[in-house]
Amino acid sequence: MKRILKSSLIGVPVLLMLATILSRQGLPLLDLSPRTWLYISISTVCLVFFWNLVEREYAPDRRAVSIENARPRWLILCLGVIAFGFPLVVMIGTVAQPWWEPGDLLRDPLNVAFQRMDRTGSIAGCCGSEAGAVSLLGNLVTMAAAAIFGFAAIQRALNVRKLDGGVLLCLLGFCFATVVTLDDLYRLHEEHQRKFVVFYATFLGAIVCLSFYWQSWFENSFLAATALFFVGSIAIDTVLEHHFGAYRVVIEDGMKLFGFCCLLVYALVSGLRFSKDDPHGTG
């Protein structure tokens, strides 16, 4: 299984590159620049190197075991509500409310201000407190995830008194969530979008490498949901930007909010596991 996963890290970019070369006209979605392929290749090499480093230095003495039965049902229910129920309610409310355009609540506040001024031709009313409300809510969620990852990293380092895989995973999670927050707040990806996408893919891949060894399927399910929602949001924002019509913004930002909430829950369950005194973090 490990060989298959590591081989896919190399094989998938190679197959995509071949598909681009052979289908320049017929498959424009893969018509990427040489610089983008350079970024993808560097990211792939880094992930393969990191996976081998984890196997040699940071793999636990035994695989993390599921501690599902040790969790009360109310906790599992609360985690599910945070990951899926909360963003679902927010998105339904955003689309159903009659006062503002859904895009004005979902987009970055600065983009909302520019678009409102373009629509009305006036600066009056461009920047109400509702502008970008859902976007800013997502920033709060990722800041909370970063704080939990950071606290869990410190707590585990104090417990095990070394840099083990659990500490490293929480540190990577802290860096990932912090960069996501800063990027979304200050619109850093606007001019360097593909660089940030490759950065996110690299860090998320590194977290997956560690989580494969140190977490159970329960925690990894939230990590997988986070990755799927992020990939979907980025795909809609880049290669599928001309699809879905008026619903594109709702779908894109909705998937991003779901990804943020799943990341928060992954931070919570990781913090619960790695803040324990057990050196394997299995409780």
Side-chain angles (χ1 to χ4, degrees):
M1 181 64 178
K2 290 183 290 185
R3 289 182 179 179
I4 294 174
L5 290 173
K6 284 198 293 186
S7 299
S8 67
L9 286 175
I10 300 176
V12 170
V14 171
L15 291 176
L16 290 175
M17 186 180 297
L18 290 175
T20 301
I21 295 173
L22 298 175
S23 309
R24 280 283 183 175
Q25 303 301 321
L27 195 56
L29 296 183
L30 296 179
D31 190 9
L32 303 179
S33 67
R35 180 177 296 181
T36 301
W37 282 119
L38 176 62
Y39 295 153
I40 293 175
S41 300
I42 293 175
S43 174
T44 302
V45 170
C46 290
L47 286 178
V48 172
F49 173 79
F50 185 78
W51 193 316
N52 284 283
L53 179 66
V54 169
E55 281 189 325
R56 294 195 309 269
E57 303 292 339
Y58 294 108
D61 295 335
R62 58 186 175 87
R63 280 295 307 273
V65 296
S66 174
I67 56 173
E68 214 76 274
N69 296 331
R71 298 189 183 92
R73 289 187 177 181
W74 64 264
L75 176 61
I76 298 176
L77 178 62
C78 289
L79 294 175
V81 169
I82 295 173
F84 304 106
F86 172 70
L88 181 62
V89 170
V90 170
M91 293 307 301
I92 292 176
T94 300
V95 175
Q97 56 79 32
W99 301 285
W100 304 286
E101 290 286 337
D104 289 353
L105 301 176
L106 293 167
R107 294 188 182 94
D108 178 87
L110 187 58
N111 289 336
V112 174
F114 286 147
Q115 291 180 2
R116 282 183 172 179
M117 286 187 287
D118 288 340
R119 289 201 303 260
T120 63
S122 171
I123 196 173
C126 76
C127 310
S129 59
E130 78 285 351
V134 177
S135 176
L136 295 175
L137 182 63
N139 296 147
L140 294 177
V141 171
T142 54
M143 280 192 287
I148 294 171
F149 274 127
F151 176 81
I154 295 173
Q155 182 65 38
R156 182 165 183 84
L158 292 175
N159 287 339
V160 301
R161 301 182 183 278
K162 63 178 181 178
L163 180 65
D164 70 346
V167 177
L168 188 58
L169 189 154
C170 290
L171 288 176
L172 288 174
F174 169 76
C175 293
F176 179 81
T178 300
V179 173
V180 168
T181 303
L182 294 175
D183 176 25
D184 215 35
L185 276 174
Y186 297 108
R187 304 166 71 240
L188 302 178
H189 65 276
E190 293 292 331
E191 296 182 1
H192 305 283
Q193 187 177 58
R194 290 183 177 179
K195 291 181 181 179
F196 272 90
V197 169
V198 173
F199 170 84
Y200 291 146
T202 303
F203 263 68
L204 197 57
I207 293 171
V208 169
C209 292
L210 283 165
S211 192
F212 179 81
Y213 289 99
W214 286 87
Q215 305 272 46
S216 70
W217 70 267
F218 182 74
E219 292 90 357
N220 286 333
S221 63
F222 290 107
L223 179 60
T226 300
L228 289 175
F229 283 125
F230 281 168
V231 169
S233 178
I234 292 172
I236 293 173
D237 188 38
T238 54
V239 296
L240 300 175
E241 59 182 337
H242 300 299
H243 296 68
F244 303 105
Y247 298 101
R248 186 186 70 84
V249 174
V250 174
I251 297 174
E252 175 200 338
D253 288 279
M255 295 186 74
K256 186 166 66 172
L257 181 62
F258 271 92
F260 288 167
C261 292
C262 288
L263 178 64
L264 174 60
V265 172
Y266 180 70
L268 284 170
V269 294
S270 298
L272 289 174
R273 177 182 288 271
F274 293 126
S275 61
K276 298 178 181 296
D277 293 331
D278 180 11
H280 298 292
T282 54

